[in-house]
Amino acid sequence: MTSSPIVHLIQNFHVAFLDKSFFLVIYPIVLILGLLIRTLLSQELFDKPKNSYWISDQNIINKTFADHGLEIFTTLSVLIFIVRIIVSELQNFKVPLLPTSFNSKNKTIEKIKKYSKLAVIYGARYGVTYGILLILFKLKNYESVSTGGQCQPRLQNSDNVSTLSKRYLNILCSPGEEWIPGSLNISGHYFFIVTLSLSLFYELKIFLHSTMDSIDKSFEEQDDGLGLSSKLKVSIASATITTLLISLVLLVWIGTLSVTAIFYHTIREKIMGLVFGYLAPVVDYV
């Protein structure tokens, strides 16, 4: 029995793209293309879209996928962990010929140890990512303040500090004031989204390596011409849905970074944000 088209497609994506870590070059390319487009745009063509709703940091996509990026990353990380367990259980489930309470107890203990160890590994990686992000936001805050950032009376009925910055930076302006960044305002969008995106790419790579091997083995065992078992169908559906959800989020994050690369921050601030964005993934996965 040959694998289904969707499994074949996911395997190709894993082997040709994820396994070779080509995703590591996406974000420098996005930055370079953004800087190139910014250079080619006239001031008029630059100002008009920048003042539009979909380019501002108040649009629904930015407020959902950037301001709540950590929640999305956390949810997808938990989903990966759960689906990995589901696939493992479905593909490794075998009814013993002579079941005994002793064998059942031993298997239960083994599973608890196995998945506890897996949970610790996932938790440790998540903790490193979260900790480094907090340090980076503290550094951004320090640099902004030390280069002249301060609260000033608000001139318009608006707020220059994005929700993302409010949540992770120690900026406390009164209701009638707004935060004016200093001369160095490291792009929080860049290091935040690059950190989460690269970490998610690596998690997807690990996830597919584990689940697709298990599914492939099941295909070989079921090469009897009778069709796929219900367990294998659930495994394939779980892996496919998880991969599609993660891919969708990654594409949205790349689009968000593209806007930042063209319309926001100085070249130095974006480059610093990009470099900082690789720190947590390097510590966690390389």
Side-chain angles (χ1 to χ4, degrees):
M1 178 187 300
T2 58
S3 60
S4 67
I6 187 64
V7 172
H8 184 66
L9 182 64
I10 293 175
Q11 286 174 328
N12 285 342
F13 172 66
H14 177 229
V15 173
F17 183 73
L18 293 178
D19 203 40
K20 299 183 186 303
S21 298
F22 284 149
F23 54 85
L24 289 172
V25 303
I26 291 176
Y27 304 98
I29 291 174
V30 169
L31 177 58
I32 292 171
L33 290 177
L35 295 176
L36 179 61
I37 293 172
R38 173 64 187 95
T39 303
L40 296 176
L41 287 177
S42 65
Q43 194 61 39
E44 181 181 357
L45 290 175
F46 176 78
D47 290 337
K48 186 174 180 180
K50 185 177 181 180
N51 295 326
S52 69
Y53 170 78
W54 291 109
I55 299 300
S56 74
D57 61 2
Q58 298 302 310
N59 72 71
I60 186 65
I61 295 176
N62 188 76
K63 290 183 75 67
T64 301
F65 286 88
D67 293 349
H68 297 282
L70 188 61
E71 288 90 336
I72 292 173
F73 175 76
T74 302
T75 301
L76 291 176
S77 297
V78 173
L79 176 64
I80 288 173
F81 176 73
I82 293 173
V83 172
R84 186 169 173 182
I85 292 177
I86 290 173
V87 173
S88 176
E89 284 297 295
L90 287 174
Q91 302 314 309
N92 293 329
F93 177 78
K94 293 197 172 43
V95 180
L97 295 176
L98 296 172
T100 64
S101 59
F102 179 76
N103 288 337
S104 178
K105 184 178 180 180
N106 277 350
K107 286 186 177 181
T108 301
I109 293 174
E110 289 175 4
K111 287 180 181 179
I112 291 174
K113 289 181 178 179
K114 174 184 176 181
Y115 295 133
S116 296
K117 181 179 179 180
L118 189 62
V120 169
I121 293 172
Y122 272 86
R125 288 202 296 256
Y126 182 88
V128 169
T129 299
Y130 185 76
I132 291 179
L133 278 175
L134 287 181
I135 293 172
L136 291 176
F137 273 111
K138 290 290 185 182
L139 177 62
K140 170 184 168 67
N141 188 29
Y142 171 79
E143 291 295 339
S144 185
V145 172
S146 64
T147 56
Q150 57 184 312
C151 293
Q152 294 184 2
R154 187 179 302 160
L155 301 178
Q156 299 176 349
N157 187 25
S158 63
D159 195 341
N160 285 341
V161 184
S162 68
T163 306
L164 177 64
S165 296
K166 286 179 179 177
R167 298 181 68 195
Y168 297 101
L169 295 181
N170 185 27
I171 295 173
L172 301 175
C173 295
S174 67
E177 295 179 326
E178 62 182 350
W179 176 256
I180 305 300
S183 58
L184 179 60
N185 181 31
I186 302 170
S187 177
H189 257 80
Y190 246 90
F191 69 68
F192 183 68
I193 294 177
V194 169
T195 294
L196 298 184
S197 297
L198 287 178
S199 298
L200 204 51
F201 265 122
Y202 273 113
E203 290 295 347
L204 182 59
K205 177 180 177 180
I206 295 170
F207 167 74
L208 289 180
H209 179 76
S210 170
T211 57
M212 297 316 293
D213 281 352
S214 179
I215 289 173
D216 255 353
K217 183 179 179 182
S218 295
F219 267 116
E220 294 174 4
E221 292 175 352
Q222 294 185 34
D223 190 10
D224 52 13
L226 300 178
L228 304 182
S229 70
S230 58
K231 295 191 198 65
L232 185 52
K233 289 179 180 178
V234 171
S235 297
I236 294 172
S238 301
T240 301
I241 293 172
T242 303
T243 302
L244 290 176
L245 282 175
I246 292 173
S247 300
L248 177 61
V249 170
L250 289 169
L251 286 174
V252 173
W253 275 342
I254 290 171
T256 303
L257 281 183
S258 300
V259 172
T260 303
I262 298 171
F263 294 101
Y264 294 97
H265 291 283
T266 65
I267 295 177
R268 179 174 66 155
E269 291 167 352
K270 284 182 280 199
I271 291 176
M272 291 180 70
L274 175 65
V275 172
F276 288 165
Y278 278 75
L279 292 180
V282 166
V283 172
D284 264 337
Y285 303 99
V286 176

